Amino acid sequence: MSAVKRIAVLTSGGDSQGMNAAVRAVVRTAIYHGIEVYGIQRGYHGLLNKDLRKMDIRSVGDIIQRGGTILQSARCQEFRTAEGQQKGAEILREFGIDGLIVIGGDGSYQGANKLSKLGIKTMGLPGTIDNDISFTDYTIGFDTAVSIVVDAVNKLRDTMSSHERSSVVEVMGRHCGDIALYAGVASGAESILLPEVPFNLDEVADRMKQNFENGKRHSIILVAEGVGKGDDIANGIVERCPSIEPRVTVLGHIQRGGTPTANDRILASRLGDFAVRRLMEGDSGKGCGVIKGECVATDIDLVVNTKKEFNQELYDLSCRLSQ
Ligand SMILES: Nc1ncnc2c1ncn2[C@@H]1O[C@H](COP(=O)(O)OP(=O)(O)OP(=O)(O)O)[C@@H](O)[C@H]1O
Ligand SMILES: O=P(O)(O)OC[C@H]1O[C@](O)(CO)[C@@H](O)[C@@H]1O
Ligand SMILES: [Mg+2]
C-alpha cells in the first residue's frame, strides 16, 4: 500500500543534462506502481501559475538521450517569498497532490525545504551541472558538463600547441569550482583557479613562463567563473609577463546543453526511481543522492545547510601532475 496516490514533478533553476532522464524515471516508476503523476512546467513559476498536466508513459518517450528539460525550467522570484511558498503549497493541495519531486540545484532545494516545512511531502533530486549539493557524490549533469569542457580543452590544445600559445578557459561555477577542478585534472590543465582555493597571479604567470622555458608548447589555465572573468585573468598574466599572449575562451552555456553522458542518465534514472519509491514508503523532506554507489536520502534541511565538501585530494593531485 503506497503512502502517496498522486505526485508531481518539476525541474527548476539552471537546466542540466539528465533532467529528462530523471523525469522519465519518476513518471515511469510512479505509473508502474499505479500512482498518478503530474508534470509541472517551468519550475516554481509554473506551480504558482497552475501550469501542470497529467503525464503518461508515452509523454516521457524518446527523451532519455535529450539535453534540456521537457518540463522547462525557470528562476522564480515570487517563490522566494513566504507568500509565494504558501500559495505553492495551497495549489498542490487543491490538485490533490500528495508528493512532490523537485529536480534542481541548491536554490531549488531551498524551495523544496520550504514546501516540506509547510507540510508538503517533498523529495529533492540534485539536478545541476555545478556539483554543489552535499550528501551526493555527484549531481545530475555534472559528468556531461565536465566532458564538454574536456572536449573543448582538447581542441584548444591542438591550436595552442601549433602556435606555442597559452589558453585561458572560463567555465561555469559561481560558488563551486568542481567543473574547473574535475575538467582540469581530466584535461591536464597547467593551472586551475577555483573559488575554494586562494591563488596568486604572480605564481600562475611565473609557472607559465617556466613551462615555456622548459619546452612546453602550450599552457592551459582553467578558471571557474566564481574567481573572476577569463579576460581579467589573461590581462593580469600579460601585465606580469608580456611575452605570454594568452587567448581567452568562455565556454558559457555550451556546458549546459547536449546529450547527457551514460553516467548522468544512469544517475538520473536511479535517483528518479528511488525518490518515488521513498515517497511510496511514507518518507519525505529528503534530498536524494548517490554516495559510494548507494542511493541515500538525507534530511533536506541538513542538505541545504551543509556546504559541499571540497575535494582537496583531487586538487593536490592536479598540482602534482601539472608540471
Ligand atoms: N531561499 C529560497 N527559498 C525559496 N525558494 C528558493 C530559494 N532559493 C531559490 N529558490 C527557488 O529556486 C529557484 C532556483 O534557484 P537557483 O536560481 O538558485 O538555481 P539552482 O536550483 O541552484 O540551480 P543552478 O544553480 O544549477 O542554476 C529560484 O528561482 C527560486 O524560485
Ligand atoms: O545564465 P543562467 O541561467 O542565469 O545561469 C548561469 C549559472 O547557472 C549555472 O550554470 C548552474 O546552472 C552556474 O554555474 C552559472 O553561473
Ligand atoms: Mg545553484
Side-chain angles (χ1 to χ4, degrees):
M1 175 76 173
S2 167
V4 289
K5 294 198 166 28
R6 180 181 291 165
I7 65 169
V9 55
L10 62 81
T11 51
S12 166
D15 65 353
S16 72
Q17 306 94 334
M19 277 184 163
N20 277 329
V23 171
R24 172 180 176 271
V26 167
V27 170
R28 292 208 170 157
T29 296
I31 293 173
Y32 179 86
H33 290 290
I35 297 164
E36 276 190 297
V37 53
Y38 281 73
I40 300 174
Q41 290 294 133
R42 299 184 189 82
Y44 297 123
H45 177 79
L47 172 61
L48 298 185
N49 288 285
K50 302 186 182 178
D51 192 357
L52 62 169
R53 66 191 156 100
K54 197 169 166 187
M55 311 281 279
D56 59 31
I57 292 285
R58 288 273 56 84
S59 54
V60 290
D62 197 24
I63 65 167
I64 193 169
Q65 78 284 15
R66 291 182 204 277
T69 157
I70 59 161
L71 294 179
Q72 300 183 278
S73 196
R75 302 195 197 271
C76 174
Q77 273 308 323
E78 187 185 355
F79 198 74
R80 290 176 179 272
T81 65
E83 297 73 33
Q85 292 148 21
Q86 191 69 47
K87 184 174 159 191
E90 279 162 20
I91 290 170
L92 288 166
R93 286 196 186 97
E94 180 190 329
F95 280 84
I97 285 163
D98 47 20
L100 174 69
I101 295 177
V102 171
I103 309 170
D106 56 338
S108 304
Y109 265 48
Q110 295 274 2
N113 191 27
K114 302 279 170 55
L115 282 174
S116 177
K117 289 189 168 148
L118 290 170
I120 302 295
K121 290 179 197 157
T122 309
M123 297 296 246
L125 295 189
T128 171
I129 63 166
D130 288 344
N131 207 34
D132 58 352
I133 295 184
S134 49
F135 297 97
T136 186
D137 290 341
Y138 300 107
T139 57
I140 298 164
F142 175 66
D143 187 59
T144 310
V146 168
S147 301
I148 290 168
V149 176
V150 171
D151 184 51
V153 172
N154 289 343
K155 289 170 180 151
L156 287 167
R157 242 174 211 287
D158 290 344
T159 175
M160 294 302 143
S161 300
S162 304
H163 293 269
E164 293 179 285
R165 278 177 180 155
S166 56
S167 200
V168 174
V169 186
E170 181 189 313
V171 302
M172 279 187 168
R174 274 176 291 196
H175 310 292
C176 178
D178 274 14
I179 294 178
L181 176 58
Y182 283 69
V185 171
S187 61
E190 275 66 30
S191 296
I192 306 173
L193 310 186
L194 312 164
E196 292 89 345
V197 184
F199 66 91
N200 178 331
L201 214 45
D202 292 330
E203 283 171 16
V204 176
D206 276 352
R207 176 158 357 158
M208 288 173 79
K209 198 163 153 250
Q210 196 66 55
N211 281 344
F212 280 110
E213 284 169 7
N214 290 346
K216 273 210 174 188
R217 291 193 298 137
H218 62 262
S219 195
I220 306 280
I221 304 179
L222 275 185
V223 183
E225 63 180 336
V227 306
K229 298 238 162 286
D231 274 330
D232 295 336
I233 300 293
N235 291 337
I237 287 168
V238 174
E239 272 169 28
R240 287 162 177 81
C241 186
S243 64
I244 297 176
E245 288 181 78
R247 295 293 192 269
V248 180
T249 304
V250 181
L251 291 178
H253 291 79
I254 293 280
Q255 294 160 91
R256 277 205 334 223
T259 187
T261 60
N263 276 339
D264 274 331
R265 296 181 202 192
I266 292 166
L267 180 65
S269 301
R270 289 183 73 194
L271 288 178
D273 172 80
F274 178 70
V276 174
R277 287 188 293 108
R278 279 301 186 114
L279 280 174
M280 288 172 60
E281 287 162 12
D283 200 2
S284 67
K286 299 283 158 53
C288 301
V290 169
I291 301 178
K292 294 188 170 63
E294 296 290 321
C295 288
V296 288
T298 308
D299 193 342
I300 197 159
D301 201 49
L302 180 63
V303 177
V304 297
N305 287 304
T306 307
K307 195 171 161 40
K308 171 98 181 178
E309 209 181 318
F310 177 63
N311 193 336
Q312 187 68 43
E313 188 196 331
L314 200 59
Y315 183 76
D316 293 343
L317 172 68
S318 77
C319 297
R320 288 195 295 276
L321 300 187
S322 63
Q323 299 170 51

